[in-house]
Amino acid sequence: MAKMLAFLSNGLSGALIDLSEVVWLPLPRFDSPSVFSKLLDRSKGGSFSLRPLYGFDSVIQQYIGDSLVLETTYSVKGKRAKVVDFMPLSLPGLVRIYESEVPLIAEIRPAFNYGLINPSIERREKGLIFRNPLSSEGLELYVDGDFETLDDFSLVLDPGKGSLFLLYSRDLRYGFFEKPEIYGNAGEMLRGILSYFRTKLRSVRRVSIYEREYYRSLSVILGLMYRPSGAIVASPTTSLPEIVGEERNWDYRFAWVRDMSYAIEALIKAGLIIEARYGLDFLISVADPASKTFDHPLYTVDGTPPLAEEVVGWLSGYEGSKPVRIGNAAYLQVQMDVEGAFMNSLYEYVNATKDYRYVSDNFWLVESLADWISKSWRFESTDIWEERGVTRHYVHTKVMSWVALDRASKLARMIGNKSEADEWEGKAEEVKEDVMRNGVRDGHFVRYYGGDEIDAALLTLPLYDFVSPHDEKFLKTFNRIRSELEVSPYLYLRYKRDFLGNVKNPFVLVTLWVARVLIRMGKLQEAEKHIRRLIECSTPLGLLGEHIDPTNCEPRGNFPHLFSHSGMVTTIAELDSSLNTA
């Protein structure tokens, strides 16, 4: 994956820009069909580029402060061209403000429904309209500045200042060219989104180490939050391959209970309490008190189950990596660990805020979740890694059932419900005894009951206080994970093999789990080495994917990724605390 990819977001959807070209943009929201899909098909996908007409000598690209507003400055034979790209708040679109001493060329080739439908095109005095011939939706490009139209897709912009405003409308009768008076100008939109990020990050808990990576990761988490509901998507992309040329390509544009819970914990550690509670409110809104608390492991950004997984056969895939998928069949799985992840995030919130009223108001959920886990923890299930067609008694999953009951007991005790606290504490102990009896072999924890292999999810046992990091069984597990799963210095696989065969690329979150375990062991310098390794392998803009190609440090898998950036925030916050108390 190109190291120059930048991520833009306005809390409705997200765009990826490859230097000067928008190569991915679903509209109007994260899980909508894309209108630019060149990232997944260079010939049919469609894109929106803006660059100096006659090329450039050099380029500098950076975010403005801690925002997701991108500034690109070109040098052209001693002259300069600057482009500022962002997605405006509350509008399904994209703005490109330019200030240039040389002419620029803008090429816009949208294709609706993931590159399947070419638009009809209407030229206007101040821009272009692209209509979906099969519906009333469309895109409008409004140009504020002097330009010449070359053809239906290309404009030459005269030197000077100006902007391009691309707006999506589900019904073009309510679009920009019909109602221009209701929209602000590009400068006002820019001030609005810069103010948004500045205000959100103003109250962040300060750290004394790795500030750039800490704030960048927080801005990514905020950028992955769907602001109308509080859902946080795992990634803004689909089908970016874990291994280039293979079929490990998934759609991650949904709110996973587990991923969201990790993000909520990161927001809490960073002091962004309001945003953390907004995420909790979303998860509580989709909880089912009459059966399994989370009927699905993932939800759309409005809280409904996603559509069935489909293959988009007309796209060639990233660097030929097929298939391209939309939707995610993991929503059909029964994942027994997600309740524990949620309960831990709820407990962390209350422990940090002492907001006992929040527990009382939502105790119906704590009760129903704990009761369901108490009856169901012995079931087989899929696990955190979502292998398809494989259910077992996974040790990590059992431990997460213990976490669910342990945190439920603690929350009950916080508000004086002693009888339920005692009952759930007893159930938690029952789960723990089962794990210690069936999940240990040859003196170390195993991936699943009856097996001998290990996986990186076992690193979470001391992170959730299931065992001490100095526990002899865990230490043997830890050493085996590091010796068997490390494929490059401080980079680890999550496991060696799954239902699709051997895995290849390290999983970013595992490096951060190892670092957090080392922090608990008091090995702070070694923990820092793990963080620095990920910083070396992040993009120049500080972004991380789900995986890393150890041969060239390029991101693999969907990008940027919530797991990775949440883990970075949490790990830096924990290391900073440990360094300040050492």
Side-chain angles (χ1 to χ4, degrees):
M1 188 183 307
K3 295 276 279 186
M4 292 303 294
L5 283 177
F7 170 52
L8 308 183
S9 174
N10 59 355
L12 298 177
S13 185
L16 292 189
I17 295 184
D18 188 354
L19 188 56
S20 67
E21 192 170 23
V22 182
V23 293
W24 176 253
L25 179 58
L27 290 173
R29 65 187 208 182
F30 288 108
D31 54 1
S32 297
S34 56
V35 296
F36 301 124
S37 312
K38 187 174 181 178
L39 190 65
L40 299 178
D41 192 306
R42 297 191 65 82
S43 62
K44 293 193 289 287
S47 66
F48 179 13
S49 66
L50 178 61
R51 63 186 187 279
L53 177 61
Y54 300 113
F56 56 91
D57 302 317
S58 63
V59 62
I60 298 173
Q61 197 164 51
Q62 61 187 359
Y63 284 117
I64 297 178
D66 298 315
S67 73
L68 293 178
V69 176
L70 183 69
E71 180 182 273
T72 307
T73 304
Y74 300 95
S75 176
V76 186
K77 296 180 180 178
K79 296 185 178 181
R80 193 181 71 134
K82 184 173 74 173
V83 177
V84 174
D85 290 314
F86 63 96
M87 298 181 69
L89 289 177
S90 304
L91 292 174
L94 184 131
V95 178
R96 315 193 78 169
I97 298 176
Y98 63 89
E99 181 178 350
S100 180
E101 297 174 324
V102 297
L104 305 175
I105 182 167
E107 294 180 296
I108 176 168
R109 296 179 180 273
F112 296 100
N113 194 20
Y114 303 101
L116 180 63
I117 302 170
N118 290 323
S120 63
I121 302 166
E122 179 183 339
R123 297 188 189 185
R124 290 292 183 97
E125 181 183 354
K126 297 296 290 181
L128 299 166
I129 299 177
F130 302 91
R131 301 179 186 273
N132 184 339
L134 301 183
S135 72
S136 59
E137 72 173 342
L139 290 167
E140 297 167 289
L141 180 69
Y142 172 72
V143 184
D144 182 11
D146 296 327
F147 69 95
E148 176 188 354
T149 303
L150 293 184
D151 54 41
D152 286 344
F153 304 100
S154 305
L155 311 172
V156 173
L157 307 172
D158 293 341
K161 297 180 180 180
S163 64
L164 295 87
F165 175 30
L166 181 72
L167 180 68
Y168 170 89
S169 293
R170 196 177 297 278
D171 188 332
L172 281 169
R173 292 177 299 174
Y174 298 94
F176 179 86
F177 286 110
E178 294 296 327
K179 297 180 179 293
E181 68 277 1
I182 69 173
Y183 298 99
N185 63 46
E188 291 169 339
M189 294 179 191
L190 175 60
R191 286 190 291 274
I193 193 161
L194 287 174
S195 176
Y196 170 79
F197 278 103
R198 186 169 54 250
T199 302
K200 288 289 183 183
L201 296 172
R202 187 168 54 200
S203 59
V204 165
R205 172 204 156 187
R206 305 296 176 183
V207 294
S208 57
I209 53 171
Y210 307 120
E211 281 187 280
R212 175 181 180 268
E213 292 74 24
Y214 179 74
Y215 279 92
R216 178 54 55 221
S217 289
L218 283 169
S219 72
V220 171
I221 296 171
L222 292 176
L224 293 173
M225 177 177 279
Y226 183 67
R227 292 172 55 241
S229 69
I232 312 175
V233 299
S235 179
T237 56
T238 180
S239 301
L240 294 183
E242 295 177 16
I243 304 172
V244 173
E246 296 191 13
E247 59 179 306
R248 298 172 181 272
N249 317 317
W250 319 107
D251 191 349
Y252 279 6
R253 298 171 298 152
F254 306 105
W256 264 260
V257 177
R258 181 191 311 107
D259 301 46
M260 272 198 66
S261 298
Y262 288 9
I264 290 166
E265 291 174 35
L267 292 170
I268 293 166
K269 285 187 180 293
L272 294 178
I273 300 301
I274 293 174
E275 289 70 26
R277 178 164 169 166
Y278 196 27
L280 282 171
D281 287 343
F282 173 82
L283 292 178
I284 291 169
S285 76
V286 300
D288 180 356
S291 59
K292 187 178 186 299
T293 307
F294 297 104
D295 300 329
H296 309 283
L298 62 146
Y299 296 83
T300 62
V301 293
D302 62 13
T304 56
L307 299 174
E309 182 174 295
E310 299 178 13
V311 171
V312 179
W314 56 88
L315 294 180
S316 62
Y318 178 84
E319 294 188 9
S321 303
K322 286 190 172 185
V324 173
R325 293 182 170 96
I326 55 173
N328 197 304
Y331 86 93
L332 298 171
Q333 294 182 358
V334 177
Q335 295 180 13
M336 296 285 289
D337 67 306
V338 299
E339 280 78 15
F342 163 76
M343 283 298 294
N344 190 66
S345 66
L346 177 60
Y347 170 75
E348 292 290 342
Y349 167 80
V350 177
N351 198 42
T353 63
K354 312 306 178 190
D355 187 357
Y356 303 124
R357 171 67 181 272
Y358 196 70
V359 183
S360 298
D361 288 350
N362 293 293
F363 201 68
W364 60 272
L365 175 56
V366 176
E367 285 182 309
S368 62
L369 187 152
D371 289 346
W372 191 86
I373 291 291
S374 296
K375 293 182 292 187
S376 308
W377 68 267
R378 294 183 183 276
F379 295 168
E380 289 187 346
S381 83
T382 51
D383 74 340
I384 182 175
W385 307 126
E386 299 181 344
E387 282 200 74
R388 298 188 175 190
V390 181
T391 60
R392 291 188 174 112
H393 294 291
Y394 288 101
V395 169
H396 170 266
T397 300
K398 300 295 185 189
V399 169
M400 296 311 293
S401 291
W402 174 87
V403 171
L405 292 165
D406 177 77
R407 281 19 173 208
S409 173
K410 286 179 167 63
L411 289 168
R413 214 171 292 284
M414 283 178 177
I415 60 172
N417 290 14
K418 184 178 183 303
S419 61
E420 288 175 304
D422 291 344
E423 177 188 351
W424 296 334
E425 184 178 22
K427 286 289 185 180
E429 186 59 32
E430 186 179 336
V431 177
K432 187 168 189 174
E433 290 173 359
D434 190 77
V435 172
M436 302 305 286
R437 184 170 55 251
N438 297 302
V440 177
R441 182 170 178 176
D442 298 330
H444 63 79
F445 292 99
V446 291
R447 185 178 184 186
Y448 52 84
Y449 289 5
D452 181 57
E453 62 185 283
I454 44 88
D455 82 312
L458 298 171
L459 293 166
T460 63
L461 270 59
L463 304 184
Y464 288 115
D465 297 322
F466 181 80
V467 294
S468 162
H470 304 290
D471 176 88
E472 185 177 346
K473 297 182 184 66
F474 176 74
L475 285 174
K476 288 183 178 180
T477 310
F478 185 61
N479 291 334
R480 189 175 168 194
I481 288 171
R482 295 191 69 182
S483 65
E484 294 184 17
L485 299 183
E486 188 175 38
V487 294
S488 183
Y490 313 115
L491 300 179
Y492 307 85
L493 304 175
R494 46 186 168 168
Y495 46 73
K496 286 189 172 181
R497 183 177 177 81
D498 61 16
F499 72 110
L500 288 174
N502 293 328
V503 298
K504 177 181 177 182
N505 290 325
F507 197 77
V508 171
L509 185 60
V510 179
T511 293
L512 295 164
W513 278 343
V514 172
R516 292 178 65 197
V517 171
L518 290 168
I519 292 168
R520 283 158 176 76
M521 292 177 172
K523 299 179 179 181
L524 305 187
Q525 289 185 339
E526 194 174 353
E528 278 202 71
K529 291 177 182 178
H530 285 72
I531 296 173
R532 287 200 295 268
R533 178 64 166 145
L534 290 185
I535 293 172
E536 291 171 2
C537 284
S538 63
T539 70
L541 292 170
L543 304 179
L544 290 163
E546 182 183 25
H547 299 259
I548 290 172
D549 186 330
T551 64
N552 56 21
C553 252
E554 288 200 356
R556 294 285 178 249
N558 284 304
F559 174 89
H561 201 277
L562 186 62
F563 261 169
S564 304
H565 286 284
S566 299
M568 184 65 84
V569 169
T570 298
T571 307
I572 291 172
E574 291 182 352
L575 179 60
D576 183 71
S577 293
S578 294
L579 288 170
N580 288 330
T581 57

